[in-house]
Amino acid sequence: MVDFRIGIGYDIHRLAEGRKLILAGVEVPHTQGLQGHSDADVVCHALCDALLGAAAFGDIGTHFPDTDERYAGSYSVKLLCDVLELVKNAGYEVSNVDVTIHAERPKLQSYISEMRRVLAEALQIPIDRVSLKAKTNEKMDAIGRCEAIAATAVALIYKS
Ligand code: MG
């Protein structure tokens, strides 16, 4: 019998001047970047929470507290690799992940394939098991006013 477990993750960060915009480990040219203790990569953070959620291992804040100087400015793809290791050490494999980025600007379509490649490599799964989509917020709320970018992720893991 295969033991399947699903998890969901969400993250949002504020956009600010003078920061690089890093999404799924890829630097996207933009006038602003996401503010945070690490590189504020909402895609990686949402995926970390989806994987941790699937294994019922708490959340990213439990494992990588933003008060911990070791994670200051850190490249969040590394956090994703660390989370994968936790999940794998518990005997799970990743089946697939699906992510939606919520961003009014910039247009992300031309970066999606590179982002999928980075995530697939970090998660040690084929690229056809990594889905990534980008949606605007129809100019509504903080995301629609270009004050923030968010990401929602689901992950399916299994143990045979
Ligand atoms: Mg975050």
Side-chain angles (χ1 to χ4, degrees), residues 7 34 46 73 80 89 91-92 99 117 123 133 136 148 151 160:
L34 294 172
L80 186 57
N89 285 345
Y92 291 103
V99 184
R117 195 194 60 72
L123 294 170
K133 302 149 345 260
T136 73
S160 8

Side-chain angles (χ1 to χ4, degrees), residues 103-105 136-148:
E104 203 65 28
R105 280 202 296 269
T136 73
N137 222 37
E138 295 284 332
K139 299 192 168 71
M140 293 179 289
D141 298 341
I143 291 166
R145 290 190 300 269
C146 302
E147 293 168 10

Side-chain angles (χ1 to χ4, degrees), residues 10-13 35-38 40-42 44-46 60 76:
Y10 171 79
D11 196 31
I12 185 166
H13 281 259
Q35 204 168 43
H37 184 67
S38 63
D41 185 337
V42 288
C44 287
H45 295 178
I60 193 173
S76 296

Side-chain angles (χ1 to χ4, degrees), residues 56-72:
F57 281 171
D59 65 17
I60 193 173
T62 326
H63 298 275
F64 313 104
D66 65 8
T67 47
D68 191 331
E69 278 310 307
R70 278 178 302 167
Y71 303 115

